[in-house]
């Protein structure tokens, strides 16, 4: 490990300090941010920036004068740097091996070496877009043993495209080793599965951590798309759900789910339902329903409504891929703002969407501007690396005569969000613009909001048709999980549904 200069700061102000260092170009991103036993946080700093760093100025910028100091620290490489280092080591080993077979190293061969991979215990899973050139065949089976040795693995597999069957079966081939059974530990939860038969999504880690932070004590939860237990297990082990009903129709995933429930010693609190969740016989029993299917779980919204308790209602966690329009051609700096420290969404949605409920049209609640940034929330730094976010509150009521009323007040509160920072501690419109450029653009959030309001109204209509009574749906939170392209975003809507 290298000894480097670093800034030692209190945990509660670490995120603000990190932002200021990043803006100043002083944050050394080759090394990881570390938390000390005394609760303080170490932020690695570039040596070239030391002469320009003033702790007092930084302290005033984060409203915590005198609470930071520059120290020398034995730092660890960041995950990105570790991967880069391993990739360079692999390339060198392959270059030497090819040279012994009379093959001259080239830039094309270098680009054909994997730059990313997944690690599952002693098995490394590489992507399909590598080792495509004919020259690699000259190494024979020596190729895979060299790759495994360089990456510190005993087994090696390569992924192909996900099958287009209803089960989304992964196409994975074993390159080195016999067993394809792997174990992955995530937030103290053990997942065991056959990598050639079941998927494991690393991209959902922020949502699994968020579920783990829920308080579900005494609740009955239904997970309509359980898979191998991605969300089922956090509900049981960390959120404290009294019982979870896990629905899954892929027999290989069901086998892994049952095994994982046993491994984590929670099988007695979970009932597994194998088959199409639309045929589920349960109803009027759930406090919470998880709909973790993308690009859309809409086919199972009626099932989720049927599952909710009729007397108290409950909460739906609805996953969806939302496509947002390209941003407006004019820059945000030229837009008028009533308050330079907050940005209000008021463009790009010129009229509320028209909803269809029972084939009759109803107008949705009026779209009003919602604040997406504020300067009053204290900065946060959590050990699970989630940052401070916001809740968008919007309530929609559908009554028995098919009218839709707005009870929304668009209030913002602090909420644990994903790795994407969606808050801004800003002093100018240009700062706000820069933060949004680095995270999620205004047009993206406007699309999320429009979809959430449409969904809230539609769910209220489904509940009314199902029960014959009036229901109120309330948008508690919109969570950004990850993005697949510049304008395609996996989000989760936390929708509270209560009978009136």
């Amino acid at each position: 490990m290298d000894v480097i200069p670093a800034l030692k700061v209190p945990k509660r102000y670490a995120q603000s300090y990190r932002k200021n260092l990043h803006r100043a170009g002083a944050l050394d991103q080759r090394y990881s941010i570390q938390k000390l036993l005394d609760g303080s946080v170490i932020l690695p700093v570039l040596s070239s920036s030391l002469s320009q760093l003033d702790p007092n100025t930084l302290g005033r910028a984060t409203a915590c004068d005198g609470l930071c100091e520059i120290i020398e620290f034995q730092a660890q490489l960041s995950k990105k740097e570790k991967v880069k280092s391993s990739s360079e080591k692999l390339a060198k080993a392959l270059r030497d091996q090819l040279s012994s077979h009379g093959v001259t190293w080239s830039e094309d061969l270098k680009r054909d070496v994997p730059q990313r991979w997944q690690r599952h215990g002693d098995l490394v899973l590489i992507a399909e877009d590598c080792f495509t050139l004919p020259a690699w065949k000259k190494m024979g089976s020596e190729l895979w043993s060299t790759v495994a040795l360089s990456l510190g693995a005993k087994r090696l597999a390569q992924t192909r495209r996900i099958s287009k069957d209803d089960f989304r079966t992964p196409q994975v081939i074993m390159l080195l080793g016999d067993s394809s059974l792997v174990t992955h530990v995530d937030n103290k939860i053990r997942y065991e599965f056959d990598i050639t038969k079941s998927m494991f999504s690393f991209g959902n880690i922020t949502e699994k951590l968020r579920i783990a932070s829920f308080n579900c004590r005494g609740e009955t939860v239904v997970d309509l798309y359980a898979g191998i237990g991605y969300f089922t297990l956090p509900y049981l082990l960390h959120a404290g759900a009294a019982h979870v009903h896990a629905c899954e129709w892929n027999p290989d995933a069901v086998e892994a789910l049952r095994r994982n429930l046993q491994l984590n010693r929670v099988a007695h609190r979970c009932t597994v339902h194998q088959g199409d969740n639309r045929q589920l016989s349960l109803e009027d029993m759930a406090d919470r329903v998880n709909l973790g299917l993308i690009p859309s779980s809409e086919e199972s919204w009626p099932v989720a409504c049927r599952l909710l308790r009729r007397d108290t209602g409950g909460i739906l966690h609805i996953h969806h891929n939302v496509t947002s329009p390209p941003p407006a051609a004019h820059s945000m700096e030229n837009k008028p703002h009533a308050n330079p420290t907050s940005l209000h969404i008021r463009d790009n949605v010129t009229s509320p969407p028209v909803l269809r409920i029972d084939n009759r049209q109803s107008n949705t609640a009026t779209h009003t501007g919602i604040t997406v940034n504020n300067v009053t929330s204290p900065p946060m730094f959590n050990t699970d690396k989630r940052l401070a976010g916001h809740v968008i509150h919007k309530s929609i009521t559908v009554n028995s005569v098919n009218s839709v009323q707005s009870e929304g007040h668009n209030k913002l509160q602090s909420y644990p969000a994903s790795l994407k920072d969606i808050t801004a501690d800003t002093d100018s419109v240009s700062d706000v613009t820069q933060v949004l450029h680095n995270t999620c653009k205004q047009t993206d959030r406007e699309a999320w909001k429009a979809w959430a309001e449409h969904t809230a109204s539609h769910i209220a209509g489904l509940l009314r048709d199902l029960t014959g009574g009036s229901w109120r749906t309330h948008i508690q939170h919109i969570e950004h999980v990850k993005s697949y392209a510049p304008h395609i975003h996996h989000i989760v809507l936390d929708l509270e549904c209560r009978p009136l």
Side-chain angles (χ1 to χ4, degrees), residues 37 46 110 122 146 155 212 281 298-299 355 383 445:
L37 293 177
L46 290 168
K110 183 178 179 180
D122 66 353
T146 301
R155 295 178 291 162
S281 60
E298 188 168 356
E299 285 191 356
L355 306 182
T383 54
R445 299 191 193 200

Side-chain angles (χ1 to χ4, degrees), residues 298 301 355-357 453-463:
E298 188 168 356
W301 291 0
L355 306 182
R356 292 191 177 273
I357 302 176
E453 291 185 357
H454 179 102
T455 300
S457 295
H458 186 57
I459 293 292
L462 289 173
L463 287 165

